[in-house]
Amino acid sequence: SQQGEEDPQALSIQEGENATMNCSYKTSINNLQWYRQNSGRGLVHLILIRSNEREKHSGRLRVTLDTSKKSSSLLITASRAADTASYFCAAYGNNRLAFGKGNQVVVIP
Amino acid sequence: EAGVAQSPRYKIIEKRQSVAFWCNPISGHATLYWYQQILGQGPKLLIQFQNNGVVDDSQLPKDRFSAERLKGVDSTLKIQPAKLEDSAVYLCASSPFSPGLAGNTGELFFGEGSRLTVL
């Protein structure tokens, strides 16, 4: 089954800096999704990129997808303290959504 | 629009005891999922329902875990007997799409989760 894997797993940055997270997956996908999870809360969908897309933007989020390398990256620009959370990529294919291990991002005010 | 509701939010039990979690998905969502999230890891799918039928339970430890969605709306996940390694957050999610349906993006809507501690 597909399994996203993020790298690095922990990131600490100053407010205003950019945060970049990477993810790899193993098999063919329909799309690649990113979710955010605040401490003790459920996951919230952030952005989805289809397998035929290479880059997508949504507000301060930028996601890229390289299907030849089976990898994706999530960039959060001008980070804020409220961006402190865990971020998970999820590979969707064969009617199943498989999550990676997650990146913990701490934004220091 | 109300989100996915889960209860209880927290539960502490001793090993070998039983526990049940309840989930009410977003109104009209046909597909319901239960995920297990162990601390520091990503969610792992336990079971997927479409209406009241099981679509995928290949990763459900059926010797101790069971789940049902009898009327195709809310769902219950039960663990009996619990083991120490079952300590985790149990996340319920729903989707308006059915598996294989054209236009299904796989996007899920999650509840807040039920945190289980097994002592």
Side-chain angles (χ1 to χ4, degrees):
Chain A
S1 61
Q2 300 139 352
Q3 188 70 41
E5 296 182 358
E6 291 85 14
D7 173 46
Q9 294 202 339
L11 185 64
S12 182
I13 57 175
Q14 295 288 331
E15 201 166 32
E17 292 181 339
N18 296 341
T20 300
M21 289 154 271
N22 298 307
C23 167
S24 62
Y25 56 93
K26 297 178 181 177
T27 60
S28 62
I29 59 171
N30 298 103
N31 63 61
L32 194 291
Q33 304 175 31
W34 286 89
Y35 288 76
R36 183 187 72 226
Q37 185 177 36
N38 291 90
S39 181
R41 309 296 294 274
L43 281 78
V44 175
H45 183 266
L46 293 177
I47 191 167
L48 176 155
I49 185 165
R50 301 182 192 281
S51 60
N52 61 354
E53 298 176 313
R54 292 297 167 260
E55 186 173 313
K56 197 166 185 179
H57 297 255
S58 176
R60 294 184 297 111
L61 303 179
R62 171 178 170 255
V63 63
T64 63
L65 180 65
D66 187 336
T67 53
S68 67
K69 295 181 180 178
K70 290 185 166 57
S71 67
S72 173
S73 68
L74 175 68
L75 168 68
I76 304 173
T77 61
S79 63
R80 306 167 181 170
D83 295 329
T84 294
S86 292
Y87 294 82
F88 295 88
C89 76
Y92 180 66
N94 293 324
N95 297 312
R96 179 183 283 195
L97 190 65
F99 287 85
K101 296 176 184 177
N103 274 275
Q104 186 168 4
V105 175
V106 175
V107 181
I108 303 167
Chain B
E1 178 181 79
V4 176
Q6 289 190 246
S7 68
R9 286 296 313 277
Y10 305 94
K11 189 74 175 180
I12 300 173
I13 61 172
E14 295 189 351
K15 60 182 179 183
R16 292 187 289 272
Q17 287 186 325
S18 63
V19 63
F21 302 112
W22 175 82
C23 170
N24 196 27
I26 293 173
S27 178
H29 280 197
T31 311
L32 183 148
Y33 306 76
W34 284 101
Y35 281 85
Q36 180 193 57
Q37 185 177 24
I38 293 172
L39 185 65
Q41 298 183 19
K44 170 192 161 187
L45 179 67
L46 291 175
I47 189 167
Q48 177 184 349
F49 291 95
Q50 180 182 347
N51 297 314
N52 62 351
V54 175
V55 174
D56 183 355
D57 64 355
S58 59
Q59 299 186 86
L60 185 74
K62 298 180 185 66
D63 57 333
R64 297 183 300 105
F65 286 66
S66 65
E68 59 184 18
R69 193 186 184 198
L70 293 176
K71 297 182 179 179
V73 180
D74 58 342
S75 175
T76 302
L77 175 71
K78 296 180 181 178
I79 308 174
Q80 181 179 12
K83 292 185 175 181
L84 297 177
E85 58 261 36
D86 298 332
S87 293
V89 176
Y90 292 86
L91 294 162
C92 180
S94 68
S95 165
F97 299 108
S98 297
L101 186 69
N104 184 2
T105 64
E107 178 183 347
L108 299 184
F109 298 81
F110 282 85
E112 297 290 335
S114 294
R115 181 178 296 275
L116 173 66
T117 301
V118 182
L119 303 176

